[in-house]
Amino acid sequence: LSLSGRPLSLSFPMGRTVKKAGKSKSKKGKGTKKADASSSAAAAVASGPAKVWQPGVDALEEGEELQFDPEAYNYLRGFSIGWPCLSFDVVQDQLGLVRSEFPHTLYGVAGTQAEKAPWNYIGVFKLSNINGKKREPIPSSKVDADSDMDSDSSSDEEEEEETNEDIKPILHLKKVAHAGCVNRIRSMTQQPHICATWGDTGHVQVWDFKSFLNSVADSGPVAHKEDDIIHNHVPLKIFNGHKDEGYAIDWSPLVTGRLVSGDCNSCIHLWEPSSSTWDVDTKPFVGHSASVEDLQAYH
């Protein structure tokens, strides 16, 4: 699941290539056969691994443009919950850890970056009926792959047309009002319905989305008009002890409910669970000399 501009994109990847823009023109007349032979030989040599473009390392040459290869994915589709999203997280479910057969179902949460602060919300969603095609990551042999290339490509095109036209994913969405833009959102591993958000207002909030997740889980095959309603929901905890907004936040994978949050003013606060709330240490960790961009909890 990835963020790309405005919509979210769901993909099951299997490469990136750099492609020259435009097509080169071949000369006609004397020596055409020789040119064709040399070009075919060059094509044979160029049949090795495609060049992988590294962001921040490689620069595009004049006339080059990045092209994505749909064949690199078992499934690729974009969807939107309304406003652009700056952060999202996958919510763990009880459908099994190993799911290799289509169709798939996915639960998630995403926070918006709306044009005006009062318009922001958290999207609690279920994406179901995700259909794609399962392919082997590596062909059994290059000879078999080459011999079956034509037949596979034609059958793949037919399958893609059928998938695109007849089998579409179903998005069920519940919107929960959020004060300001959602810089980061994270779902707790042990209790996935508990989520924490970092807002551009400088507040860190903890939410219980169990009722909304149950609602989308029980939804039928058709999305309801209620999906456009923005629900007012009271967070379990609001912490305003940070001196600036931030983006870094993470749940402990070992201690249920333990949370850390870091801000752009170099401070990190530790949250410890206490009955139905959290005790946040008002004295932050101050080892950083600049903005805390990300956190990863291990204990």
Side-chain angles (χ1 to χ4, degrees):
L1 193 63
S2 61
L3 288 173
S4 175
R6 288 185 175 273
L8 290 149
S9 294
L10 178 62
S11 60
F12 300 125
M14 283 202 49
R16 289 173 302 185
T17 60
V18 178
K19 182 180 179 181
K20 290 282 187 180
K23 297 180 180 179
S24 60
K25 297 180 180 179
S26 59
K27 294 181 180 180
K28 295 182 179 180
K30 212 170 182 180
T32 302
K33 291 184 179 179
K34 187 176 181 180
D36 291 343
S38 62
S39 62
S40 62
V45 174
S47 62
K51 176 184 175 183
V52 177
W53 188 78
Q54 304 174 77
V57 178
D58 298 330
L60 289 177
E61 298 177 5
E62 185 177 355
E64 283 187 331
E65 59 182 15
L66 287 177
Q67 299 284 338
F68 94 96
D69 183 3
E71 290 300 316
Y73 301 89
N74 284 341
Y75 182 86
L76 178 64
R77 182 180 288 272
F79 65 98
S80 173
I81 67 167
W83 290 104
C85 295
L86 197 60
S87 179
F88 73 91
D89 200 13
V90 174
V91 175
Q92 293 191 22
D93 53 45
Q94 303 297 319
L95 301 178
L97 294 176
V98 181
R99 288 176 271 182
S100 57
E101 300 295 331
F102 288 101
H104 291 308
T105 297
L106 172 76
Y107 291 86
V109 287
T112 64
Q113 189 180 26
E115 183 180 348
K116 295 183 179 180
W119 297 351
N120 282 289
Y121 53 84
I122 299 165
V124 181
F125 62 87
K126 178 182 78 169
L127 194 63
S128 59
N129 199 39
I130 303 170
N131 284 274
K133 51 187 178 182
K134 184 178 179 181
R135 292 178 292 192
E136 296 297 328
I138 302 175
S140 55
S141 69
K142 190 176 185 305
V143 176
D144 293 341
D146 290 342
S147 62
D148 296 338
M149 186 179 297
D150 294 336
S151 59
D152 287 347
S153 61
S154 60
S155 60
D156 287 350
E157 289 176 1
E158 293 175 0
E159 290 177 7
E160 287 175 3
E161 289 178 1
E162 183 179 338
T163 300
N164 292 335
E165 293 178 3
D166 302 329
I167 307 175
K168 294 183 179 179
I170 303 169
L171 175 65
H172 289 284
L173 173 68
K174 295 294 180 182
K175 299 177 180 179
V176 180
H178 186 275
C181 169
V182 181
N183 289 350
R184 191 68 52 86
I185 185 168
R186 288 292 178 262
S187 168
M188 188 194 301
T189 303
Q190 300 89 342
Q191 299 178 22
H193 60 280
I194 303 296
C195 297
T197 59
W198 237 128
D200 66 354
T201 57
H203 297 82
V204 180
Q205 302 177 77
V206 177
W207 308 78
D208 184 352
F209 292 142
K210 178 180 285 186
S211 61
F212 298 103
L213 286 167
N214 289 338
S215 179
V216 295
D218 296 336
S219 299
V222 180
H224 301 290
K225 291 183 178 180
E226 187 188 354
D227 292 352
D228 292 330
I229 299 176
I230 299 179
H231 302 270
N232 289 314
H233 190 60
V234 180
L236 298 175
K237 175 75 175 182
I238 301 177
F239 177 64
N240 57 5
H242 283 282
K243 296 180 180 180
D244 198 356
E245 67 173 311
Y247 297 83
I249 194 168
D250 197 29
W251 294 100
S252 168
L254 300 180
V255 180
T256 301
R258 178 177 288 171
L259 181 72
V260 284
S261 56
D263 59 37
C264 297
N265 196 37
S266 76
C267 295
I268 300 173
H269 286 271
L270 176 65
W271 301 48
E272 291 289 1
S274 174
S275 62
S276 60
T277 185
W278 282 262
D279 294 327
V280 187
D281 192 346
T282 56
K283 186 178 180 180
F285 298 103
V286 291
H288 282 268
S289 59
S291 174
V292 182
E293 297 295 308
D294 203 358
L295 284 167
Q296 182 73 62
Y298 288 99
H299 298 288

